């Protein structure tokens, strides 16, 4: 499911995905294979470039590395369900900030609409992969 959405996220080997699940503070799934979400606290052992961007700017946060909804199950509220659960978990973990990045190039207008509707706002941008990709960094203050 993740690799089917690699344009919006990134390709992962099964081994890398397993390591990420084990390191994440939040790893939630809607089975069977409908949707998933991985999120990391600033203290987690994770080497993601965008995660490190937030680490260099914020002391405490919950970083959504990826939320993926299977193409056959989009528009059914699974992303919203995962985020409602994420918001509750963030409060229990004591996080005021929830952060993520969304592609600007190639564009991901569905993700932008979703995140802005949840109350996220842009706090930065980055160009990566020798200019082939750009992202904006988003933050939600709970």
């Amino acid at each position: 499911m993740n690799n089917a959405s690699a344009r919006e996220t990134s390709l992962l080997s099964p081994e890398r995905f397993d390591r990420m699940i084990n390191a994440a503070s939040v790893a939630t799934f809607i089975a069977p294979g409908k949707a998933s979400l991985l999120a990391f606290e600033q203290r987690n052992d994770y080497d993601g470039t965008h995660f490190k961007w937030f680490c260099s700017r914020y002391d405490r946060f919950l970083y959504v590395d990826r939320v993926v909804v299977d193409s056959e199950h989009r528009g059914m509220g699974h992303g919203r369900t995962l985020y409602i659960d994420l918001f509750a978990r963030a409060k229990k973990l004591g996080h005021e900030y929830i952060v993520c990045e969304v592609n600007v190039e190639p564009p991901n207008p569905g993700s932008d609409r979703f995140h802005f509707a949840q109350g996220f706002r842009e706090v930065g941008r980055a160009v990566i992969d020798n200019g082939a990709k750009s992202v904006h960094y988003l933050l939600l203050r709970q």
Side-chain angles (χ1 to χ4, degrees):
M1 181 175 57
N2 178 81
N3 288 348
S5 297
R7 182 174 187 261
E8 295 84 10
T9 58
S10 60
L11 285 174
L12 293 175
S13 69
E15 297 79 21
R16 171 81 172 158
F17 193 54
D18 285 345
R19 282 194 307 276
M20 289 173 67
I21 290 169
N22 289 327
S25 288
V26 178
T28 54
F29 303 89
I30 298 175
K34 293 179 182 177
S36 64
L37 181 147
L38 290 178
F40 298 87
E41 292 179 274
Q42 73 290 334
R43 63 178 177 78
N44 291 137
D45 182 20
Y46 181 52
D47 62 354
T49 302
H50 304 302
F51 175 76
K52 289 180 177 181
W53 187 92
F54 286 107
C55 285
S56 72
R57 289 163 176 79
Y58 299 93
D59 292 331
R60 191 161 164 72
F61 59 86
L62 190 60
Y63 167 73
V64 179
D65 181 78
R66 62 196 60 233
V67 58
V68 179
V69 178
D70 180 73
S71 61
E72 293 182 19
H73 296 96
R74 291 185 183 151
M76 298 179 180
H78 296 311
R80 187 177 231 343
T81 297
L82 289 170
Y83 266 73
I84 289 169
D85 178 70
L86 175 73
F87 297 154
R89 290 173 187 262
K91 283 185 182 180
K92 286 181 185 176
L93 292 168
H95 290 289
E96 181 178 4
Y97 298 121
I98 299 171
V99 298
C100 66
E101 91 282 341
V102 174
N103 289 354
V104 173
E105 188 60 44
N108 192 343
S111 186
D112 279 338
R113 278 190 304 276
F114 176 83
H115 285 92
F116 291 134
Q118 301 300 314
F120 284 83
R121 63 179 176 84
E122 183 176 313
V123 293
R125 287 190 174 223
V127 176
I128 57 175
D129 298 339
N130 295 319
K133 188 174 183 179
S134 63
V135 299
H136 54 166
Y137 295 114
L138 306 179
L139 176 141
L140 172 70
R141 186 174 184 169
Q142 288 201 113

